[in-house]
Amino acid sequence: MTDATAAEPTDNQAMEQSRDLSGARDMIACEGVSKWYGDFQALDGITATIKEQEVVVVLGPSGSGKSTWIRCINRLEVHQEGRIVVDDVELTNDLRNIEQVRSEVGMVFQLFNLFPHLKVIDNVSLAPIWVRKKPRAEAEEQAMALLERVGIPEQAHKYPGQLSGGQQQRVAIARALAMEPRIMLFDEPTSALDPEMIKEVLDVMKVLAQSGMTMMVVTHEMGFAKEVADRIIFMEEGQIVEQGTPQHFFENPTEDRTKLFLSQIL
Amino acid sequence: MTAPTTQERVSHRVPLWRDVVVLKWFTQVVLLVVVLGTMGFLASQAGDNLRARNISTSFDFLERPVDIQLSEGIDTHPDTGARALWTGMVNTLRMSIAGIFFATILGVVVGLARLSDNWLVRRLGSMWVETLRNIPLLVQMVFYFSVLTTLPRVGLGTGPINGWLHVSNKGISMPRVFIADGFYQWLVVVLIGAVAARFVRQHRQQIQDETGAMTSPILWGLGTVALFGLVGLFVHPVFSWMGPVFGRIADLLDSLPVIAPQLGFSAIALGVAVTWIRRFLSAHRSARGHLSLSDDDWFRIVFAAVASLAVVFVAVRWTGLSAWTLDSGRDLFQVLADKFDVDGAARPFDAMRPDIIQKGMFPNYGKSGLTMSIGFAAVFFGVVFYTSAFIGENVRGGILAVPKGQSEAAKAVGLGRGQILRHVVLPQAFRVILPPTGNQYLNLLKNTSLAVAVGYSELVQVGSTTYNQTGMTLPVVAIWMLFYLSCSLTISVVVNWFNVRMRLVER
Amino acid sequence: MSEMSSGLGVPTIPAPPEEPHLPPRQWIRENLFSSLFNTVLTIVSSLVILAIVRGLLAFIFNPQRQWEATATNLRLLMTQAYPEEQYLRVWVCVAVILTLTAMSMAVWRAGSAVPLPGVGRRLLSGGVLLALMALLAPFGTRSTFIWLVIGIVVAAGGEALRRFADEERSLSTLALLAMALGGLVATLWVVPYGSHTFNLQRTPRVLAEPGTVAMSTKLPWTLMLVVAVAAYFVGTLVRDRLPTNPLRATLLVTWLLMPPILLYLVLRDPSFDMGHVFTTDIPIFAAYAVLGGALLSWLTRPSTGEAGRIVAALVLVAGFAMFATPMRMIVRLDMLLLAGFALSAPTFSGGPRARRRYTAGWLGVLGMMSWLITAINTPSTVDVPGGFFIGGISLTLMVAIFTIVISFPLGLALALARTSNMPIFRLLATWFIEFVRGVPLITILIFFSIMVPLFLPPGMHLGEVAAVVIGYSLFSSAYLAENVRGGLQSVTRGQHEAAEAVGMTTSQKTVFIVLPQALRVAIPPLVGHCIGVFKETSLLAIIGLFDVLYIARYVMSNQTEFMGSTKENILFVSLIYWIFAYQMSKASQRLEQRTGLGER
């Protein structure tokens, strides 16, 4: 792994990429993480660190283990070998650690996974009330503020089924933010959206990245990767094949498999 | 890559009360202990109470003579408790099979009626469903029973009846065809015919696939079976040699020591467990030979091993089971041997009409024509009508569940109305209809137990008479539950088999 | 996402499309004579319908039928041997249920408006039907004529309404219902139903007497109707003044609390042993209230953490251990209740308000429980002849309601166990469910009615009805669990993951996310299950309990004056069952349509 490339300031990229993250502390550290489904190996010795405030985009063909990896980071899946340390808390079978990590890591899903039986505002405020133990009034106030931040305060009292896909995904982002996470994971947040709705979600994500959130994004949106990412990780067959700045990655990739992937996708 | 950096709060030892895996298994084991403890407590209470009241729970009454008279069945004056209960089981099965057959036919008719273009027919169908579905089956049965008992009586003066149909308060009599001595030999011929039909069908299908001509393979298959059946009527005695063969097998089983089935059971149990575990392990071993097992996987392996060892233990400790297996195997083959040991002139089928030759003697069930006793009729009409309402709803739901686009698409490629129904709608509807209908068959089987209220001698009725006489409630209840469980299991296995086949067709 | 509930679970039968209005002649041609086959079908089925109607009418109006049997024995069919002088209690129960029903109807806005011409159309078809019936029934000339005239008058009124009434004006279905019920009650004041005397020497042998069933119930029924209508209007007033959700929640809780309270009302006249109450019951309650309250308010503190779980588990163990040593049952039960509350405390923990609310909930439930146990341990003053205090339809309803109420949590727990990720739970639940579903109900009822005393420790008694209700609840819970499981499976994996990702614990996820969605999907099969439970209470007759079927079949047909009236009685019982079951299934269909349209 070439740590240096990640922190190298580049001159012709967007503003946020010129941040110097070399001194920042590790937010997520994975070391030799492996996982099997039966006889199929989904993750094969993943080793990587993600710094505070860093925005990492994970690319790779489908079935390459991207989703499995980020789902391991908030223990929706259990890794079988190696170590994952999130914000100085190691993910083990320890109940307290799992609870702590889950409440610090927000997650946004491909299919939104909003709670269809609850109104939008309750979707957002449910977890703060019952997990963070906030008083209801305070939680709802915060939920309204978040909905304003993602640009849909007027939908607060509708049910998710009445919203468009893009609006639903923005509610999902607000729901994750309501737990005041220090890390946000995005699992293909725009793959289930119609083309005209992708932009509204990506815009929200960009603002989030600018605000200094640590983010890990699995996506197929190359434009977003080029513009926002500090670093791009390319995976195939459960392994990290190559990583580097967007400039490095898109303009002169070193690995053959990366070149093949880029030639297919661009 | 260096190890994760700051590690003040990263601890490797997880305290037991915070370890999710430990908590998960601890909770389960505690619950298991509570459940087993409660059951053990209740069982010991029951044992104490039974001893205190001097009630025996042995199955001896099965061998001892009983004084029970059954309304109908293969043996109306059974010698032993076992024979009585066996008669009850046969009556239950008789009722269930007849009920399932007719309820299916009637149910399909009702379902189609509810989908008819004809307003009147549709109304009739929904009247049928809404009335029968919303009245308890038992109430219906009792009603049919009370209506049937007010039918005209057969008095002493009633003459010879040489009719085709005779209805009285003793039952409904009609002519019947019944199986005679040569039937089993004939059955062998038909089975051979069925095997032949399979080949014929495949052959015709092949021709159709190659040339595109309509060869109607199914009709050809059925024709083959019919042909064999027809020919078998005349040539069936050629299979009389099978009798001695079965006799030989019976002798062989008789001479085997008890250790043989014990070894057999143990070997099967261990073999199955070992094969399963090996397959399971190989399914969890990656290409590079890494074996990853979660706690649940370990539980499965341990469970399989323990279960097989438990079977071995039971087989070894409980010699009665092995002896019983040998005995009943021998009896089965002996019965088969007797069935084949008939003279060459025996016919496979015979027919009779209901008649009273002597004044005052009403034809008995199984003696002359086919007589449906009042009890049988009440239960039969009850379960058939009741179940047909539910099956009708399943059929309707299944056909409506096929999207309209399907038949439109079929019409677009030029299929005719019959072809659309046969090749497009029905196969898809069948897949929706089958699972709930299988459930209805199960319900029908269980509902035959309500016959106890109208005096038809099925298992529950015979059983309750038996325990009223002998006081053996627990064993009788155990036999009931075992019987119904195994019947339910059989039906659900058959339905599941169909289901899986259907799903395979889908892929 | 909006597709989520509709496509999964039970196959829903789409409603047939609204038929366009056609002129009568064209309608008949399209629907009855569109083809040769259809014409044949029409003719055949009209013949069948004619035969059925004719046969039914001939059966009902046969002079040999003894309909007085049911009319006279109405009291027996309803409550069996419940003493007449205590009937006030029964009436109060009926009034309470009617009040609740009417208020719920108001709050949930039941009923719809029918335009007047629609009413006219129905009256028209009803009148024509009546006239046809009059022609078909084996009446004498005079009554045929009278009924024919009535039919024609009704039909003419309907036709007039259909033609001339304003399409805009409409009538509420509830008003129609109230009018119909009012008419029925009014007939009580006119027609002397039931209670006849029997005399072999005289024709007719059965004569109506004063002091009939109608006489003794006309005043109460009138009052009931007034109460129901009044409750409806109170309900509408309350509905418009108060916020909806708390109101609905209150009503639901009241409905849930109703069965034990009403049972208590019917069963007992509390003659409390005040000394015992003051020296034992109240101190036990107070001790549990104070200690349990303190424990719970500590457990619901978010900072308590795992220590709380360990303490809660210890409370549970202590609760079970108490069964090993002799002590008062109330102490053990309260301990188990406390353990339940303690175990679910982390799920509901939070700020001071949440903690106060949780502790208050504990005090409320504990108070209810203590009161019920105390009351049940107090001897009843209702002295009933025979084995059980109630029979007939009351028994049927009581057994059905208690079975459903008890089997609901049981079935929920079984379904959760069967779908959990804990293999031993899954195995136990699956074995139990498949075992129970594999055997007929009657074998379980026989087993419980005969064998339960054998399994009890010495000194403990359980009445036959209680034993049967327990057996029936176990049976019903297995089926209920399968229905709920269907709902649970329709909740997608993504919902579980989303709940876990925001940090909910397993129990929070189950309570707030999974169950609300699963139960909504499971409503139609659950209602079907309730109808099934209600219908199968008829099996009580087989094990010799005096339910309505048993009374109709064995008791009434053995009364000297009504020998051999079984057919009539059974027909009447069928009618009762049919009305209940049909109404329930129709209501569930309406509910399904409404929930299908709303909220999503």
Side-chain angles (χ1 to χ4, degrees):
Chain A
M1 174 178 163
T2 50
D3 250 347
T5 48
E8 243 171 28
T10 48
D11 46 1
N12 58 346
Q13 292 295 321
M15 268 290 290
E16 57 272 18
Q17 286 213 11
S18 57
R19 289 180 308 188
D20 180 11
L21 295 167
S22 58
R25 67 193 193 94
D26 290 351
M27 216 48 186
I28 303 172
C30 298
E31 188 194 345
V33 174
S34 297
K35 178 169 178 62
W36 288 263
Y37 294 111
D39 58 355
F40 171 72
Q41 185 162 15
L43 293 180
D44 186 0
I46 300 270
T47 299
T49 39
I50 286 149
K51 303 270 182 197
E52 193 166 12
Q53 300 205 345
E54 193 176 15
V55 177
V56 173
V57 169
V58 185
L59 295 177
S62 63
S64 59
K66 307 164 293 199
S67 291
T68 311
W69 182 27
I70 72 164
R71 286 149 65 88
C72 278
I73 288 170
N74 69 348
R75 212 168 170 88
L76 288 179
E77 307 272 1
V78 181
H79 62 283
Q80 286 154 340
E81 270 180 15
R83 303 175 62 194
I84 300 177
V85 180
V86 179
D87 198 13
D88 294 348
V89 179
E90 176 165 7
L91 275 172
T92 55
N93 282 340
D94 193 334
L95 196 63
R96 186 187 284 174
N97 289 5
I98 297 172
E99 280 173 8
Q100 200 174 341
V101 167
R102 288 233 175 106
S103 56
E104 276 185 16
V105 179
M107 176 128 184
V108 177
F109 299 86
Q110 178 179 3
L111 294 172
F112 332 133
N113 293 344
L114 293 180
F115 307 132
H117 62 297
L118 296 176
K119 285 179 182 159
V120 164
I121 184 145
D122 297 324
N123 259 288
V124 180
S125 63
L126 186 72
I129 292 173
W130 294 106
V131 181
R132 284 261 188 254
K133 312 292 183 194
K134 280 189 184 172
R136 180 174 289 271
E138 189 185 319
E140 281 182 356
E141 202 174 304
Q142 179 208 18
M144 277 313 291
L146 281 170
L147 287 176
E148 235 156 274
R149 195 164 143 195
V150 299
I152 37 173
E154 71 282 359
Q155 313 285 3
H157 293 282
K158 285 190 181 164
Y159 284 92
Q162 298 165 307
L163 268 53
S164 73
Q167 289 170 328
Q168 288 195 39
Q169 193 61 296
R170 284 189 276 165
V171 174
I173 293 174
R175 178 177 70 182
L177 289 176
M179 287 296 288
E180 293 159 4
R182 308 187 55 177
I183 302 166
M184 285 285 281
L185 307 176
F186 293 83
D187 187 1
E188 307 203 11
T190 54
S191 301
L193 294 177
D194 292 338
E196 70 269 22
M197 293 170 181
I198 291 179
K199 189 176 172 298
E200 62 186 61
V201 172
L202 289 182
D203 286 345
V204 171
M205 287 168 65
K206 275 176 206 163
V207 174
L208 199 61
Q210 279 156 7
S211 73
M213 176 70 77
T214 313
M215 283 165 65
M216 222 176 135
V217 186
V218 172
T219 185
H220 294 296
E221 293 296 322
M222 294 302 149
F224 177 80
K226 270 182 198 164
E227 188 181 343
V228 185
D230 293 312
R231 180 151 55 110
I232 289 179
I233 296 180
F234 175 68
M235 285 181 73
E236 197 171 23
E237 290 179 348
Q239 291 169 322
I240 294 181
V241 176
E242 185 166 7
Q243 52 182 321
T245 58
Q247 190 190 19
H248 160 84
F249 185 81
F250 286 108
E251 284 163 21
N252 43 6
T254 48
E255 297 283 330
D256 289 340
R257 285 188 285 180
T258 319
K259 286 175 191 160
L260 183 68
F261 174 73
L262 287 174
S263 71
Q264 280 165 349
I265 213 163
L266 293 177
Chain B
M1 174 77 203
T2 51
T5 47
T6 43
Q7 295 198 1
E8 311 98 81
R9 283 158 66 195
V10 177
S11 92
H12 289 274
R13 283 190 48 121
V14 181
L16 282 186
W17 64 89
R18 277 185 0 212
D19 188 319
V20 277
V21 175
V22 173
L23 281 176
K24 176 178 159 189
W25 289 99
F26 179 74
T27 328
Q28 296 184 71
V29 170
V30 166
L31 183 93
L32 190 66
V33 168
V34 168
V35 168
L36 289 182
T38 316
M39 278 165 62
F41 173 74
L42 290 178
S44 79
Q45 282 302 332
D48 290 352
N49 284 324
L50 288 170
R51 262 192 298 285
R53 294 177 205 190
N54 218 356
I55 305 175
S56 137
T57 53
S58 80
F59 285 80
D60 293 345
F61 72 97
L62 291 176
E63 309 293 333
R64 268 191 255 124
V66 285
D67 180 26
I68 296 178
Q69 196 186 341
L70 304 182
S71 70
E72 60 213 86
I74 50 173
D75 194 349
T76 45
H77 293 277
D79 304 327
T80 59
R83 182 74 181 162
L85 289 176
W86 172 242
T87 311
M89 289 179 194
V90 172
N91 278 344
T92 297
L93 290 178
R94 236 178 222 181
M95 176 65 75
S96 309
I97 292 167
I100 285 177
F101 182 74
F102 285 101
T104 309
I105 294 176
L106 194 57
V108 170
V109 170
V110 170
L112 292 180
R114 292 204 67 184
L115 292 168
S116 160
D117 291 338
N118 190 309
W119 181 83
L120 219 51
V121 174
R122 223 159 47 221
R123 267 293 143 116
L124 210 58
S126 49
M127 248 162 64
W128 178 266
V129 170
E130 293 298 350
T131 313
L132 292 175
R133 202 165 61 153
N134 287 319
I135 299 175
L137 175 57
L138 183 62
V139 176
Q140 291 183 38
M141 276 187 196
V142 172
F143 181 71
Y144 301 143
F145 185 73
S146 61
V147 170
L148 288 169
T149 44
T150 49
L151 286 174
R153 290 178 185 201
V154 183
L156 278 177
T158 317
I161 309 165
N162 284 317
W164 292 95
L165 183 71
H166 185 73
V167 180
S168 73
N169 70 342
K170 285 281 166 58
I172 302 163
S173 303
M174 54 199 119
R176 71 162 183 157
V177 174
F178 60 94
I179 56 179
D181 292 342
F183 175 76
Y184 292 89
Q185 299 173 0
W186 178 79
L187 198 65
V188 175
V189 183
V190 173
L191 284 178
I192 294 173
V195 175
R198 204 182 142 79
F199 286 110
V200 169
R201 209 194 77 177
Q202 276 173 0
H203 180 67
R204 298 300 297 184
Q205 186 73 49
Q206 205 179 347
I207 294 178
Q208 176 165 352
D209 292 348
E210 281 166 7
T211 63
M214 287 297 286
T215 54
S216 38
I218 291 178
L219 271 183
W220 271 76
L222 291 178
T224 313
V225 176
L227 186 71
F228 269 81
L230 209 63
V231 174
L233 289 180
F234 304 101
V235 304
H236 66 269
V238 297
F239 283 106
S240 51
W241 54 268
M242 291 184 81
V245 173
F246 286 130
R248 232 30 87 58
I249 299 176
D251 293 342
L252 179 70
L253 285 176
D254 202 24
S255 63
L256 279 181
V258 175
I259 190 85
Q262 282 181 328
L263 283 179
F265 285 139
S266 309
I268 291 173
L270 290 179
V272 167
V274 168
T275 326
W276 185 84
I277 292 175
R278 284 178 61 174
R279 282 218 192 123
F280 187 81
L281 288 181
S282 76
H284 283 76
R285 200 184 294 278
S286 69
R288 272 184 275 156
H290 183 276
L291 185 66
S292 62
L293 293 175
S294 68
D295 47 339
D296 286 2
D297 296 336
W298 279 112
F299 174 77
R300 286 191 195 112
I301 292 171
V302 172
F303 185 79
V306 169
S308 74
L309 289 180
V311 171
V312 172
F313 179 76
V314 168
V316 172
R317 276 301 295 276
W318 188 17
T319 46
L321 180 73
S322 299
W324 180 80
T325 316
L326 277 183
D327 284 355
S328 43
R330 184 201 60 207
D331 291 351
L332 179 71
F333 280 100
Q334 198 58 58
V335 167
L336 280 177
D338 294 346
K339 296 278 186 201
F340 278 91
D341 186 20
V342 290
D343 70 284
R347 281 182 296 178
F349 295 102
D350 243 325
M352 273 191 185
R353 283 194 300 173
D355 48 8
I356 295 178
I357 291 95
Q358 237 179 315
K359 273 194 174 178
M361 285 283 287
F362 193 75
N364 224 336
Y365 191 85
K367 287 277 164 55
S368 186
L370 175 64
T371 300
M372 224 188 202
S373 71
I374 295 295
F376 186 97
V379 180
F380 177 77
F381 289 133
V383 291
V384 167
F385 290 171
Y386 189 72
T387 314
S388 77
F390 287 91
I391 293 183
E393 281 303 89
N394 293 342
V395 169
R396 184 172 86 104
I399 291 177
L400 286 179
V402 178
K404 224 176 176 177
Q406 291 288 323
S407 40
E408 280 166 6
K411 214 175 276 173
V413 297
L415 292 181
R417 219 184 127 146
Q419 283 171 322
I420 293 175
L421 207 65
R422 154 111 175 64
H423 293 292
V424 179
V425 176
L426 283 186
Q428 295 188 45
F430 193 63
R431 215 167 289 151
V432 183
I433 294 170
L434 188 67
T437 305
N439 258 340
Q440 287 309 322
Y441 290 161
L442 279 179
N443 286 345
L444 191 148
L445 169 83
K446 289 181 277 170
N447 281 337
T448 55
S449 61
L450 299 185
V452 64
V454 293
Y456 171 65
S457 300
E458 49 68 65
L459 183 59
V460 172
Q461 201 259 349
V462 178
S464 49
T465 320
T466 312
Y467 72 62
N468 279 336
Q469 241 177 52
T470 59
M472 298 291 167
T473 320
L474 260 182
V476 167
V477 170
I479 290 175
W480 281 348
M481 296 197 165
L482 218 63
F483 172 77
Y484 282 108
L485 275 181
S486 37
C487 288
S488 305
L489 201 68
T490 314
I491 293 184
S492 41
V493 163
V494 171
V495 170
N496 268 341
W497 181 76
F498 265 109
N499 253 338
V500 168
R501 262 185 62 125
M502 286 278 126
R503 241 178 269 144
L504 285 181
V505 170
E506 193 173 16
R507 273 179 205 147
Chain C
M1 187 141 287
S2 54
E3 296 297 315
M4 224 177 56
S5 73
S6 56
L8 294 154
V10 218
T12 44
I13 298 175
E18 197 66 32
E19 283 173 34
H21 265 297
L22 297 173
R25 188 173 301 175
Q26 205 179 338
W27 183 91
I28 287 176
R29 188 173 308 142
E30 295 241 321
N31 285 290
L32 298 179
F33 302 104
S34 62
S35 66
L36 183 68
F37 177 65
N38 238 341
T39 314
V40 173
L41 268 185
T42 305
I43 293 170
V44 170
S45 49
S46 355
L47 288 180
V48 169
I49 290 177
L50 275 183
I52 291 175
V53 171
R54 172 93 197 170
L56 203 65
L57 291 173
F59 178 83
I60 292 173
F61 295 104
N62 193 322
Q64 286 179 345
R65 294 284 92 79
Q66 309 181 34
W67 294 110
E68 315 86 44
T70 35
T72 307
N73 283 302
L74 268 179
R75 186 169 289 146
L76 201 63
L77 282 170
M78 294 297 156
T79 58
Q80 210 227 338
Y82 197 77
E84 224 179 308
E85 68 276 9
Q86 301 278 352
Y87 259 36
L88 188 59
R89 295 159 183 257
V90 180
W91 286 118
V92 172
C93 286
V94 176
V96 169
I97 291 173
L98 280 179
T99 310
L100 268 181
T101 313
M103 284 185 85
S104 307
M105 280 173 137
V107 171
W108 268 275
R109 298 172 190 278
S112 54
V114 191
L116 276 185
V119 179
R121 220 171 289 138
R122 276 179 209 178
L123 275 183
L124 176 64
S125 47
V128 171
L129 208 64
L130 200 63
L132 269 180
M133 293 267 188
L135 285 176
L136 284 171
F139 290 152
T141 332
R142 209 173 134 233
S143 19
T144 305
F145 181 74
I146 293 174
W147 281 106
L148 203 58
V149 168
I150 294 178
I152 289 170
V153 166
V154 171
E159 175 67 10
L161 210 55
R162 192 173 76 85
R163 285 262 168 99
F164 306 116
D166 192 356
E167 186 69 49
E168 300 295 302
R169 290 182 54 192
S170 64
L171 208 57
S172 154
T173 44
L174 288 182
L176 280 176
L177 180 72
M179 269 153 65
L181 288 180
L184 269 181
V185 169
T187 61
L188 283 178
W189 293 85
V190 184
V191 188
Y193 300 111
S195 196
H196 297 67
T197 52
F198 178 71
N199 192 337
L200 255 181
Q201 266 70 49
R202 144 187 107 182
T203 32
R205 288 179 192 158
V206 180
L207 264 190
E209 292 271 301
T212 60
V213 171
M215 297 294 162
S216 60
T217 59
K218 60 187 178 186
L219 189 64
W221 277 123
T222 314
L223 279 177
M224 292 301 127
L225 189 66
V226 172
V227 165
V229 172
Y232 180 81
F233 284 109
V234 172
T236 49
L237 275 183
V238 174
R239 175 187 73 195
D240 297 338
R241 302 279 147 77
L242 295 179
T244 320
N245 280 336
L247 191 62
R248 290 184 176 183
T250 319
L251 271 176
L252 279 180
V253 171
T254 323
W255 272 113
L256 273 182
L257 292 181
M258 239 352 73
I261 292 176
L262 289 189
L263 176 70
Y264 172 72
L265 195 66
V266 171
L267 184 52
R268 290 170 195 283
D269 213 353
S271 56
F272 285 119
D273 176 358
M274 282 307 166
H276 183 268
V277 169
F278 279 115
T279 56
T280 317
D281 290 347
I282 290 181
I284 290 176
F285 167 75
Y288 268 105
V290 172
L291 294 179
L295 178 71
L296 289 177
S297 87
W298 175 67
L299 283 176
T300 44
R301 194 201 296 262
S303 58
T304 304
E306 293 86 21
R309 281 177 212 180
I310 296 172
V311 170
L314 285 180
V315 174
L316 185 69
V317 172
F320 277 115
M322 279 174 156
F323 281 84
T325 53
M327 64 174 65
R328 288 186 181 282
M329 202 59 176
I330 188 170
V331 182
R332 296 169 174 164
L333 292 178
D334 282 352
M335 197 68 178
L336 285 184
L337 193 67
L338 180 62
F341 265 80
L343 282 173
S344 48
T347 306
F348 300 98
S349 65
R353 246 186 85 194
R355 288 167 62 196
R356 262 204 306 281
R357 203 186 303 159
Y358 195 70
T359 316
W362 155 250
L363 290 182
V365 174
L366 180 71
M368 256 295 283
M369 178 116 158
S370 305
W371 159 251
L372 274 178
I373 293 176
T374 309
I376 287 170
N377 281 334
T378 310
S380 166
T381 52
V382 179
D383 194 14
V384 184
F388 193 56
F389 62 94
I390 223 165
I393 291 174
S394 316
L395 179 69
T396 298
L397 285 177
M398 200 189 84
V399 170
I401 289 171
F402 272 84
T403 301
I404 290 166
V405 168
I406 296 173
S407 64
F408 189 77
L410 222 55
L412 215 60
L414 279 173
L416 287 173
R418 198 173 177 178
T419 52
S420 83
N421 60 357
M422 307 220 186
I424 296 181
F425 282 15
R426 235 165 28 217
L427 271 182
L428 287 177
T430 312
W431 283 348
F432 176 80
I433 291 172
E434 293 306 327
F435 173 79
V436 170
R437 277 160 44 94
V439 299
L441 173 58
I442 187 65
T443 59
I444 289 181
L445 292 186
I446 291 178
F447 178 79
F448 270 83
S449 74
I450 299 178
M451 305 301 284
V452 156
L454 286 181
F455 286 95
L456 292 178
M460 214 173 135
H461 295 288
L462 202 62
E464 195 186 0
V465 174
V468 165
V469 166
I470 291 174
Y472 198 8
S473 303
L474 290 177
F475 178 83
S476 144
S477 69
Y479 285 82
L480 206 138
E482 285 302 273
N483 292 337
V484 174
R485 187 166 72 113
L488 287 175
Q489 282 172 340
S490 76
V491 179
T492 55
R493 224 182 119 57
Q495 292 291 315
H496 290 259
E497 287 177 352
E500 280 164 21
V502 291
M504 291 189 187
T505 61
T506 310
S507 38
Q508 286 174 336
K509 180 180 79 181
T510 309
V511 173
F512 298 125
I513 306 300
V514 178
L515 278 184
Q517 296 183 48
L519 289 181
R520 195 165 298 178
V521 175
I523 283 176
L526 282 179
V527 176
H529 174 76
C530 292
I531 297 174
V533 167
F534 171 71
K535 279 193 306 181
E536 292 189 357
T537 48
S538 55
L539 265 61
L540 298 179
I542 297 183
I543 52 172
L545 290 179
F546 278 68
D547 86 322
V548 61
L549 178 63
Y550 188 92
I551 293 173
R553 190 178 177 194
Y554 294 114
V555 179
M556 280 158 61
S557 56
N558 284 333
Q559 294 163 337
T560 14
E561 59 268 49
F562 302 123
M563 276 294 185
S565 60
T566 324
K567 272 184 285 186
E568 294 89 317
N569 304 340
I570 302 285
L571 211 59
F572 180 73
V573 170
S574 321
L575 187 70
I576 295 177
Y577 272 112
W578 185 82
I579 290 174
F580 270 97
Y582 184 73
Q583 283 311 319
M584 275 198 266
S585 70
K586 280 280 159 255
S588 104
Q589 281 170 15
R590 277 197 295 271
L591 185 77
E592 217 176 311
Q593 281 163 8
R594 274 175 65 162
T595 49
L597 290 177
E599 306 217 337
R600 287 188 188 206

